Amino acid sequence: MSTETTDTDYRALLAACARGERSALHRLYEREGSRLLGVVMRIVRDHALAEDIVHDALINIWLRAGSFDAARGSARGWIYSVARHLALNTVRNRGRELGLDPEQAERMEAHHSFEHWLQRRDETSWEECGARVELCLEQLEPERRNCILHAYMDGCTHHEIAGRMGAPLGTIKAWIRRGLAALRECMT
């Protein structure tokens, strides 16, 4: 990881935001805006909505920067947590308005579990986490690994995964559930 993206830099940017330095928020946006948009897009699946959420997240980061506590995790992780929470809340609120089907609710719960895991792992560098996830994914059976990648990297529904893999829907759900359980076990 380059010195440009160390957690110390992010802590300093948050401290500058807390002091009201607008340039710090601008630097945060330049560094992380596109990645934040990618994270939010995976959750809400609507580009215009994702842009609005990232905008709102940056405002929240600006307003709440003084509440960041380095003892509870990394500054970069906190920034992503703010954006993920807003995106998940938006999906939940829209789900109440539209009525979520069980599959969408299950995916949302999986995103929440992943978010919780990220918060617990904030003190570990992103490179280490990525390498660990990759190692754990490699240990999964190919079918389970492919289902998880289709769901969380490609954003496919269980029905779409079943079509891609030519397997029954119940089997796909079981593979994902068991694969996620194996990943959780591997990561702890």
Side-chain angles (χ1 to χ4, degrees):
M1 185 175 273
S2 72
T3 52
E4 180 184 4
T5 58
T6 64
D7 192 56
T8 304
D9 292 342
Y10 289 99
R11 279 186 285 186
L13 287 172
L14 288 176
C17 285
R19 291 189 303 269
E21 296 177 24
R22 292 181 184 180
S23 62
L25 184 64
H26 181 72
R27 285 194 308 273
L28 267 178
Y29 175 75
E30 286 178 335
R31 283 188 186 178
E32 297 298 325
S34 62
R35 285 184 284 263
L36 284 169
L37 183 62
V39 168
V40 172
M41 271 292 297
R42 286 190 187 117
I43 297 170
V44 300
R45 296 183 177 188
D46 178 319
H47 195 272
L49 181 60
E51 286 178 340
D52 289 344
I53 291 169
V54 169
H55 177 266
D56 291 347
L58 288 168
I59 290 171
N60 282 344
I61 289 165
W62 171 259
L63 295 173
R64 296 176 37 215
S67 70
F68 167 69
D69 180 4
R72 296 184 67 199
S74 73
R76 190 170 187 229
W78 184 81
I79 291 165
Y80 277 83
S81 178
V82 169
R84 282 191 308 271
H85 280 289
L86 282 175
L88 288 169
N89 286 340
T90 300
V91 170
R92 284 184 192 117
N93 291 340
R94 291 177 92 204
R96 287 184 192 117
E97 294 168 9
L98 304 174
L100 286 177
D101 66 37
E103 183 177 324
Q104 289 171 318
E106 186 175 322
R107 289 194 70 216
M108 212 167 76
E109 181 58 36
H111 278 294
H112 181 69
S113 295
F114 182 68
E115 173 187 331
H116 178 71
W117 173 80
L118 284 175
Q119 287 175 337
R120 286 182 35 227
R121 295 295 182 179
D122 277 343
E123 55 277 349
T124 306
S125 80
W126 288 94
E127 290 175 349
E128 291 172 11
C129 284
R132 183 91 185 260
V133 168
E134 189 174 337
L135 178 68
C136 291
L137 278 169
E138 288 174 4
Q139 294 175 11
L140 292 177
E141 296 172 18
E143 295 85 7
R144 291 180 184 175
R145 178 179 52 242
N146 290 339
C147 286
I148 290 171
L149 291 175
H150 284 314
Y152 296 99
M153 298 304 291
D154 301 334
C156 296
T157 66
H158 291 145
H159 289 285
E160 291 168 337
I161 297 168
R164 285 184 180 192
M165 298 194 62
L169 181 61
T171 301
I172 296 299
K173 289 180 179 183
W175 283 346
I176 291 173
R177 189 172 34 258
R178 291 181 190 135
L180 288 174
L183 281 176
R184 278 188 210 106
E185 180 71 25
C186 179
M187 294 300 293
T188 56

